Amino acid sequence: MYGLRPAALVKPDGPMGRARAADAAMVGAAVGVRALPESFRALGSLPAIDYADRFTLATDAPATPEQWARAMFGDVPGFAQQVIWRGLLGLRLSRGRSPDTVAGWRVTGRGEDWIRLEAASWFLSGNLVVRAGGGKVSLGTFLHYDGRLGRRVWPPLSAIHRRLVPGLLRDAVATVEDRDRPDGDRDRPDGDRDRPDGDRARPGGDRDRAPESRKGGTR
């Protein structure tokens, strides 16, 4: 559902480890069917929910639920998504770009502030529900086990899933915010975006200026 990150290689007390912990702390998480409100669970389409979680991040970035979903997952599944979704979970995904799919998942429901994606394999069915509004964006994952294999395959993968989703949400916020920036600001360094063009730092600094001694003044 995400691009894989080398989490196992990140030291918890190192800079990347501290950044990862800070990311996770800023994202609210609810895991378990009973931990989710009925109003959110009702957005799913599964006959029964065997696994459920919801991750929420506060943001004022403007986007529709579909735009949030595409910022999270892309229009077509990437390599890591193919490995997880097709390779490990056996999900049957659509190929190519389509207004009816997001990263190969079928759009099977939507409302003013939410969108539901659906995919299935021979041993489990899944929903991804994205909800946006009120200064936050949420991603919910619902699974129904259609066979015993689902109960054996998903639990270990769910631990990885829960580690990756906070970063997924933060990356989606960055994607949406970057999309809404004026084109000229996208190419400027962060420190220069608010400066007048004449005040922007030059690539070479003072190295690009000829020394005074070379202008005919001092020998």
Side-chain angles (χ1 to χ4, degrees):
M1 312 175 176
Y2 11 55
L4 287 177
R5 299 182 179 190
L9 302 180
V10 175
K11 294 182 179 180
D13 58 346
M16 291 182 65
R18 289 192 295 270
R20 182 181 296 276
D23 285 355
M26 296 177 67
V27 177
V31 181
V33 176
R34 295 183 179 180
L36 275 61
E38 172 60 29
S39 60
F40 191 80
R41 298 199 307 267
L43 301 179
S45 63
L46 305 177
I49 302 177
D50 296 309
Y51 173 89
D53 67 35
R54 181 179 66 174
F55 290 82
T56 302
L57 177 63
T59 176
D60 291 323
T64 66
E66 180 176 341
Q67 288 171 336
W68 277 116
R70 295 188 185 280
M72 293 177 194
F73 307 115
D75 295 325
V76 295
F79 175 75
Q81 295 167 327
Q82 295 272 11
V83 170
I84 296 173
W85 291 340
R86 276 204 174 106
L88 299 179
L89 298 179
L91 296 178
R92 297 182 289 273
L93 303 177
S94 300
R95 298 182 181 276
R97 301 172 185 269
S98 169
D100 299 322
T101 64
V102 174
W105 292 62
R106 292 179 296 115
V107 177
T108 61
R110 67 172 76 223
E112 183 178 349
D113 65 347
W114 64 277
I115 188 170
R116 181 181 66 236
L117 313 179
E118 188 168 343
S121 69
W122 64 272
F123 59 86
L124 58 76
S125 304
N127 286 163
L128 297 175
V129 176
V130 176
R131 195 170 198 174
K136 59 187 178 182
V137 60
S138 298
L139 171 62
T141 301
F142 303 150
L143 292 179
H144 172 64
Y145 303 136
D146 297 309
R148 293 182 180 179
L149 185 58
R151 298 182 183 277
R152 295 164 58 184
V153 169
W154 178 247
L157 290 178
S158 70
I160 300 174
H161 159 80
R162 290 190 295 272
R163 290 190 67 182
L164 294 177
V165 170
L168 176 77
L169 289 175
R170 290 181 60 82
D171 288 347
V173 170
T175 297
V176 170
E177 290 178 340
D178 186 64
R179 180 204 64 193
D180 290 335
R181 283 195 194 116
D183 290 342
D185 285 347
R186 296 183 188 180
D187 298 329
R188 295 190 189 184
D190 289 341
D192 288 343
R193 285 183 183 132
D194 297 328
R195 298 181 186 177
D197 289 345
D199 294 338
R200 274 185 277 159
R202 295 180 175 85
D206 290 339
R207 290 176 298 175
D208 295 336
R209 299 179 181 177
E212 293 296 329
S213 61
R214 297 180 185 177
K215 292 183 179 180
T218 306
R219 292 185 180 182

